[in-house]
Amino acid sequence: MQLLHLDSSILGTASVSRSLSSEIVARHQALQPGIRVISRDLAADPALHLSAAHLAAFQGVASEDATINADLVKGNAYMDELIAADILVIGAPMYNFSIPTPLKAWIDRIAVAGKTFRYTATGPEGLLKNKKAFIASSRGSVYTIGSPAAAAEHQESYLIGLLAFLGVIDVTVVRAEGIAFGQEAKEAAVARALENIAAIKA
Ligand SMILES: Cc1cc2nc3c(=O)[nH]c(=O)nc-3n(C[C@H](O)[C@H](O)[C@H](O)COP(=O)(O)O)c2cc1C
């Protein structure tokens, strides 16, 4: 059993999504002792933005650029880790209504036709089967359906849509929102999220 743990917050030890994602990992370790955990701190060690040079190298044109070559190695490792994982834990704060760019750069490496999805005569097919995903979501405001800001929500909905496209439909969102509404609201949101994590079953 293997778990891939991604974090993307730039706030280090003050990060809410990091504290939730590490609690989710700890919960899985308690449920399944011996589970192998692979961790990627995407904020500390991001992949590059996609570029023409990267695309050419990815498509097999030999590159002399050591930075591009190192980035290709990193992207291949991202893919191998994802394919090998049974459980995916994604620490995902909302930044400007969406996800942090290093998490998007990770997605740009793993959303690859023929590897994680393919197009068929009847439409796209996700190739990642039998995986569970947990999204540790944190955001300053409130975006739950029915709230005035719901239309600006492109963080959880984006990740859920992407995962479904890749074939991962067993997705649990652990959310702490309203983090910017004061200390009391923040503590209540985090406490609710921790209760939800404690209730995760194998
Ligand atoms: C660069 C940046 C952009 C942000 N953009 C938004 C936003 O669009 N909407 C929102 O509700 N909160 C926003 N926030 C607040 C964060 O979502 C909130 O502080 C959350 O707890 C961040 O997760 P973290 O603690 O894991 O870093 C932003 C914070 C930062 C640092």
Side-chain angles (χ1 to χ4, degrees), residues 9 11 14-18 93-97 138-141 143 179:
S9 166
L11 295 186
S15 157
V16 172
S17 63
R18 281 177 189 268
M94 177 184 275
Y95 287 170
N96 298 314
F97 308 111
S138 55
R139 43 208 196 180
S141 192
Y143 298 85
I179 293 302

Side-chain angles (χ1 to χ4, degrees), residues 15 19 27 54-55 69-70 81 93 102 104 106 117 120-121 138 144 161 173 192 197:
S15 157
S19 69
R27 176 71 183 149
H54 176 277
L55 186 62
N69 287 331
E81 291 160 2
K104 177 60 166 56
W106 179 85
F117 71 93
T120 72
S138 55
T144 34
V173 177
R192 271 194 302 276
I197 294 169

Side-chain angles (χ1 to χ4, degrees), residues 16-103:
V16 172
S17 63
R18 281 177 189 268
S19 69
L20 298 182
S21 72
S22 67
E23 283 297 322
I24 296 169
V25 172
R27 176 71 183 149
H28 283 291
Q29 286 173 317
L31 289 168
Q32 302 189 54
I35 190 169
R36 182 161 184 245
V37 177
I38 309 284
S39 295
R40 281 270 175 194
D41 187 335
L42 301 174
D45 183 23
L48 302 175
H49 287 165
L50 288 181
S51 65
H54 176 277
L55 186 62
F58 182 72
Q59 290 175 335
V61 180
S63 172
E64 304 276 301
D65 185 332
T67 313
I68 291 287
N69 287 331
D71 193 63
L72 274 187
V73 170
K74 184 181 286 176
N76 289 339
Y78 285 178
M79 182 66 91
D80 292 345
E81 291 160 2
L82 174 63
I83 287 172
D86 303 287
I87 300 173
L88 182 58
V89 177
I90 307 175
M94 177 184 275
Y95 287 170
N96 298 314
F97 308 111
S98 184
I99 58 170
T101 50
L103 180 54

